[in-house]
Amino acid sequence: MSNDASHERYDRGVAALAAIDGAAGQKVIESLADIAPDFARYVIEFPFGDIYSRPQLDLRAREIATIAALAALGNATPQLKVHIEASLNVGISRAEIVEVMMQMAVYAGFPAALNGLFAAKEVFAKLDSAH
Amino acid sequence: MSNDASHERYDRGVAALAAIDGAAGQKVIESLADIAPDFARYVIEFPFGDIYSRPQLDLRAREIATIAALAALGNATPQLKVHIEASLNVGISRAEIVEVMMQMAVYAGFPAALNGLFAAKEVFAKLDSAH
Amino acid sequence: MSNDASHERYDRGVAALAAIDGAAGQKVIESLADIAPDFARYVIEFPFGDIYSRPQLDLRAREIATIAALAALGNATPQLKVHIEASLNVGISRAEIVEVMMQMAVYAGFPAALNGLFAAKEVFAKLDSAH
Amino acid sequence: MSNDASHERYDRGVAALAAIDGAAGQKVIESLADIAPDFARYVIEFPFGDIYSRPQLDLRAREIATIAALAALGNATPQLKVHIEASLNVGISRAEIVEVMMQMAVYAGFPAALNGLFAAKEVFAKLDSAH
Amino acid sequence: MSNDASHERYDRGVAALAAIDGAAGQKVIESLADIAPDFARYVIEFPFGDIYSRPQLDLRAREIATIAALAALGNATPQLKVHIEASLNVGISRAEIVEVMMQMAVYAGFPAALNGLFAAKEVFAKLDSAH
Amino acid sequence: MSNDASHERYDRGVAALAAIDGAAGQKVIESLADIAPDFARYVIEFPFGDIYSRPQLDLRAREIATIAALAALGNATPQLKVHIEASLNVGISRAEIVEVMMQMAVYAGFPAALNGLFAAKEVFAKLDSAH
């Protein structure tokens, strides 16, 4: 980040990450500090500074796409949980998140849907117990 | 389908499939006639009669979830193309479809995004040449 | 489930689930009660009421197909364990289950086979300790 | 293959490959001759000389496991077709193969099942036209 | 790309892409021009301007990692072919590429290895026929 | 293993496994003793006695290919950790391992890269605490 332009992209990413992923996103960034600090920067710059900051698609649609893809792939449960919480942050309801997980039974099988639903259950329970 | 109740679910599925997938969906059903006619019925009943007919999530969100998941999985190009067309049918714009494909670079890698974009390009070209 | 026909399919699914997955299947259904009760119904109706109830393939073959697929996919360990137990329930021997897991080394790689074998080892140990 | 013992394993593999995969298996071996002849030997020795030659699981069960896994993974259509034909060779009926593909809708999603069914349809058509 | 800093990253990516992927990389970029020109820019900036330009790992290791991963995933044959050619461009021998594909039998199964070998065979044949 | 030739292959595999995977590899073999002892032998014979013992590719390249593939597949974390340690054993630096994981963001998505980096972090911490 040698100058103003890089800073712009980085700063836009920091703002998007905070708005979308909240504390969970910040924790991911911090967990990279001692193993791959450059990758923490890339996470901020490319997914958040570039992709999520594009105005061509609303954040509701972006988060639905993300939780659908992560539930279908089925090999990234920590990231799925972060984005289930992010989905709530951008205004998607719990009932809608549950629907997206259920729909994944059609495209990735019932185990993928079940594991997505159990991830949602854990996130909702954590949020409820924090109140 | 021995009685009225089964017919209701089947008929609801036929209507949903026609509204969402249009002619492309009908072609899938027909292509199953000589190999697995029962599976054609299940395709109509479960994904369309059950899942897509649920009012808890709008069709725009459902199709975004579907094209995101199929592009991320990367092993079902014919079905991805059917649902890119279905996305247009339910009011998602070409620019939005392109955004969803681009976003998959973050969750499933650049090759998955590229192959999703090329699938979209083919579908758009086919539709343009049909006019 | 508004009438007799739906009830038939649901009841057939409940019976098949009990016969095949036993207590483990019942636990999956219960764990969905507070997050997605409709999905619990779909699990009973489609996989068990529709697919597993079809007479065209014996349950031995169905369970072999299931544990092979789940071990190969490698992203649904809880469901793999349920179906390793289900395989025993329908008369497949421990030695045969081990063979299926070993064979997955050929089609999905040695890590998939190893993780399948370790899942089987856990299920067998749990059953032995319950006696 | 420096001596009698290696030859035994290799010869056992050649016999198993011929019995199970028939001409389709031989074509795979030949197609490796100019790019990776050692790998052709490994294909014969490990999957066929070692795994398929083990008496602990019958060939019917082995082929059901294989076509289920390959349909679920969805990224190896040529090998799925070889083993759909192999399934017929070891006495599995067309109707049973269709059932296994249909069942994969539950574990790997409807697109995986559809693509498995279309692969079966192609293999059956090829065999019918050869008569 | 509003200023000097963005241009630096983009220019570094263009140079890396040309050095590594050659004409095949250029073709990918061009094929995006009418569907997703911004994504063409991201492909240049992130994978090539950021990742491949990092001095912490030599290009030989980077290409070995790439062809191994793409062969293992098995759902991105066009990109695998581009990187088999790129591997040759950075000094990896044909025999070494064949070894990497063979090794994937261990981690992703024999079908993944076979399909990787056949992709390599096609790339080598294309290059030979161009002389 | 009825004679000298089988013993040669097995012994070569034992030596390669010890040199590459060290104690972690030995633990995998031991954990198979009571569930699938024959598979322990196959793990030694095919991946190590056959593949890793081939002189056509150096061990550095082989381990880079392995950790790249396992991080990309994302469904075999225990094996990824074994091979992150194996990578150190054959002379790959921690910084290089981190680079390979980061590069997987391009081919398998950011979650795959993150999970690979966290696996590396755990392995490095375990090694540091053992001193």
Side-chain angles (χ1 to χ4, degrees), chain D residues 13-101:
Chain D
V14 167
L17 180 67
I20 298 165
D21 283 2
Q26 190 52 36
K27 239 169 83 178
V28 172
I29 297 304
E30 279 162 19
S31 68
L32 288 166
D34 58 350
I35 181 90
D38 289 356
F39 197 69
R41 182 161 58 81
Y42 293 144
V43 169
I44 289 168
E45 288 178 349
F46 178 62
F48 291 94
D50 285 342
I51 298 292
Y52 280 89
S53 296
R54 293 172 64 83
Q56 289 89 338
L57 188 69
D58 60 274
L59 284 178
R60 175 184 159 84
R62 289 201 184 278
E63 283 303 326
I64 280 168
T66 297
I67 61 173
L70 291 176
L73 290 170
N75 60 6
T77 308
Q79 288 78 24
L80 175 57
K81 287 184 192 166
V82 167
H83 282 280
I84 286 171
E85 204 167 333
S87 296
L88 296 169
N89 292 345
V90 302
I92 299 168
S93 73
R94 289 188 181 194
E96 288 176 320
I97 292 167
V98 165
E99 285 297 314
V100 173
M101 296 298 108

Side-chain angles (χ1 to χ4, degrees), chain E residues 46-47 52 54 56-58 60-62 64-66 68-69 72-73 83 96 99-100 102-104 106-107 110, chain F residues 46-47 52 54 56-58 60-62 64-66 68-69 72-73 83 96 99 102-104 106-107 110:
Chain E
F46 178 62
Y52 280 89
R54 293 173 63 84
Q56 288 89 338
L57 188 68
D58 59 275
R60 174 184 159 83
R62 289 202 184 278
I64 281 169
T66 297
L73 290 169
H83 281 281
E96 288 176 321
E99 286 297 314
V100 173
M102 285 170 60
Q103 187 171 321
M104 288 307 105
V106 176
Y107 297 105
F110 278 72
Chain F
F46 178 62
Y52 279 90
R54 293 172 62 84
Q56 288 88 339
L57 188 68
D58 59 274
R60 175 184 159 84
R62 289 202 183 278
I64 282 168
T66 297
L73 290 169
H83 281 280
E96 288 175 321
E99 285 298 313
M102 285 171 59
Q103 188 172 321
M104 288 307 105
V106 176
Y107 297 105
F110 278 71

Side-chain angles (χ1 to χ4, degrees), chain C residues 30-79:
Chain C
E30 280 162 18
S31 68
L32 288 166
D34 58 351
I35 180 89
D38 289 356
F39 197 69
R41 181 161 58 81
Y42 293 144
V43 168
I44 289 166
E45 288 178 350
F46 178 63
F48 292 94
D50 285 343
I51 299 291
Y52 279 89
S53 296
R54 294 172 62 84
Q56 290 88 339
L57 187 68
D58 59 275
L59 284 178
R60 175 185 159 83
R62 288 202 184 278
E63 283 303 327
I64 281 168
T66 297
I67 60 172
L70 291 176
L73 290 169
N75 60 5
T77 308
Q79 289 77 23

